[in-house]
């Protein structure tokens, strides 16, 4: 079921439901599989405890350290090599950290009371002996890990100059069981794979999840009625609405940047074409008009153009077309076929699946560098890339042997974090937008 020919056929006919996925009660196992020796050295000292209350239920410093490691920009000092335990800047012995060749150090304390976790932290430049950042983060309920993710976001932004994307969510589809006991689930989790929550369960395939820009809803395809249909579902309440169940294929939904429209691929008029649905009125606008297969639409950030996959040249390639229609422009020429793309927030980078022979890898085309391409996955069967909202990382699906797995990879491909489901497949990742603090 996971041969390249079948994957190609599924992508082009939108019957990717046959390889869709499910989420069980268990979460994903997480493992960083490699690092970057040349990344920025930083130490996140284990946080001290304020007061005499109970200890923090989560290891804030460990989560911050893991976040910074997996983005590829930083290399945090292993806990076993942390020789001192300052909790404030006044306790930092800078000569020690200079000797350990650390550029930055994060120190702090936590307190936990009444279900509320609070962390006070500081970021220091070791070489300049200068405090760069001081702040407090508090959270309650089941989202205590968000305290650490928000600290990592602030550290990332202060040093790199771009908003961090650790305090975000991902969606994916999993599949467990076989035959009549097969179950598919649409799952939402933290960006690092923790805290999974099942949004939809079905004994029929689910596929193609896509987040609304405000992070409140997910569009997806369901085969629960026997045929494909597009739904939008509220993540918090579970309320959902049917968007399209026209005859033929209803697939590949993706929200417009303002969240008011949905680009889809429909075949009710014969071959699959790209359409735009106005979510307020239901009005349908046809974008492409060609006797080929046109699928997998993706909006450009300015909403003026859509990038899509088409086999009009003989094999699947990426094309760009104005949302008002017209003549599409072919974007990809390297590789035997290209498709299944994801576009960065600024429109400069397009991640896609590039196929050559029986090898399918994730490639990133940098449009600001004249379309230069870089492979960021090893293959041989990698697909479904999805950018983080700041384009520092992306998710993709890979053949993990017995089961398909996800990888969260740094934008340069040098750090990969594997997300696997015990006893099942996990596919079709979609990285969500920024969350409100």
């Amino acid at each position: 079921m996971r041969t390249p020919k079948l994957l190609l056929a599924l992508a082009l006919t939108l019957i990717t439901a046959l390889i869709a996925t499910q989420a069980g009660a268990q979460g994903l196992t997480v493992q960083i599989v490699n690092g970057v020796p040349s990344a920025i050295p930083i130490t996140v000292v284990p946080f001290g405890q304020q007061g005499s209350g109970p200890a923090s239920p989560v290891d804030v410093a460990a989560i911050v350290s893991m976040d910074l490691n997996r983005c590829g920009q930083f290399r945090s000092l292993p806990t076993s090599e942390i020789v001192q335990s300052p909790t404030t800047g006044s306790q930092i012995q800078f000569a020690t950290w200079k000797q350990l060749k650390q550029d930055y150090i994060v120190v702090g304390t936590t307190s936990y009371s009444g279900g509320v976790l609070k962390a006070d932290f500081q970021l220091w430049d070791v070489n300049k002996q200068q405090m760069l950042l001081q702040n407090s983060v508090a959270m309650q309920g089941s989202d205590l890990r968000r305290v650490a993710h928000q600290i990592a976001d602030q550290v990332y932004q202060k040093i790199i100059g771009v908003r961090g994307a650790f305090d975000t969510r991902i969606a994916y589809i999993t599949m467990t069981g076989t035959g009549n006991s097969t179950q598919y689930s649409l799952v939402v989790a933290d960006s690092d794979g923790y805290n999974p929550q099942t949004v939809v369960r079905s004994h029929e395939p689910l596929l193609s999840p896509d987040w609304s820009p405000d992070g409140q809803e997910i569009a997806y395809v369901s085969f629960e009625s026997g045929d494909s249909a597009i739904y939008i579902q509220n993540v918090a309440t579970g309320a959902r609405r049917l968007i399209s169940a026209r005859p033929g294929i209803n697939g590949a939904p993706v929200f417009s940047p303002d969240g008011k429209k949905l680009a889809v691929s429909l075949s009710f008029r014969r071959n699959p074409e790209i359409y735009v649905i106005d979510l307020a009125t239901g009005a349908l606008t046809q974008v492409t008009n060609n006797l080929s297969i046109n699928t997998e639409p993706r909006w450009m950030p300015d909403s003026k153009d859509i990038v899509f996959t088409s086999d009009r040249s003989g094999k699947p390639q990426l094309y760009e077309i104005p949302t008002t229609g017209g003549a599409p422009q072919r974007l990809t020429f390297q590789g035997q076929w290209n498709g299944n793309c994801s576009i960065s927030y600024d429109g400069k980078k397009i991640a896609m699946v590039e196929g050559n022979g029986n090898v399918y890898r994730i490639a990133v085309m940098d449009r600001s560098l004249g379309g230069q391409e870089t492979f960021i996955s090893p293959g041989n069967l990698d697909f479904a890339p999805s950018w983080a909202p700041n384009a520092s990382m992306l998710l993709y699906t890979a053949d993990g042997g017995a089961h398909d797995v996800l990888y969260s990879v740094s934008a340069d491909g040098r750090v990969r974090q594997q997300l696997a489901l015990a006893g099942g497949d996990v596919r079709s990742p979609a990285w969500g937008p920024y969350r409100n603090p």
Side-chain angles (χ1 to χ4, degrees), residues 138-152:
M139 198 67 60
Q140 62 180 347
S142 60
D143 286 336
L144 299 185
R145 290 177 62 90
R146 290 190 65 190
V147 170
H149 293 320
Q150 290 183 15
I151 292 173

Side-chain angles (χ1 to χ4, degrees), residues 137-220:
V137 178
M139 198 67 60
Q140 62 180 347
S142 60
D143 286 336
L144 299 185
R145 290 177 62 90
R146 290 190 65 190
V147 170
H149 293 320
Q150 290 183 15
I151 292 173
D153 280 347
Q154 293 183 40
V155 170
Y156 183 95
Q157 183 167 4
K158 190 64 180 181
I159 298 174
I160 304 300
V162 178
R163 184 176 180 180
F166 305 114
D167 186 33
T168 54
R169 293 181 292 178
I170 61 175
Y172 50 87
I173 303 212
T174 65
M175 182 183 71
T176 56
T178 59
N180 293 333
S181 64
T182 301
Q183 188 177 65
Y184 302 84
S185 296
L186 170 58
V187 181
V188 169
D190 293 348
S191 70
D192 57 0
Y194 286 82
N195 297 330
Q197 298 178 354
T198 299
V199 177
V200 183
R201 286 190 178 93
S202 175
H203 288 294
E204 301 300 328
L206 304 169
L207 66 154
S208 303
D210 185 71
W211 290 87
S212 63
D214 61 8
Q216 296 184 16
E217 297 179 312
I218 295 178
Y220 62 93

Side-chain angles (χ1 to χ4, degrees), residues 7-25:
L7 285 174
L8 172 59
L10 295 177
L12 288 179
T13 61
L14 297 181
I15 312 301
T16 38
L18 296 177
I19 60 165
T21 40
Q22 179 272 326

Side-chain angles (χ1 to χ4, degrees), residues 204-241:
E204 301 300 328
L206 304 169
L207 66 154
S208 303
D210 185 71
W211 290 87
S212 63
D214 61 8
Q216 296 184 16
E217 297 179 312
I218 295 178
Y220 62 93
V221 176
S222 173
F223 280 74
E224 63 195 70
S225 64
D227 296 315
S228 61
I230 297 171
Y231 292 90
I232 291 179
Q233 183 153 332
N234 186 285
V235 174
T237 67
R240 73 171 185 170
R241 49 184 170 145

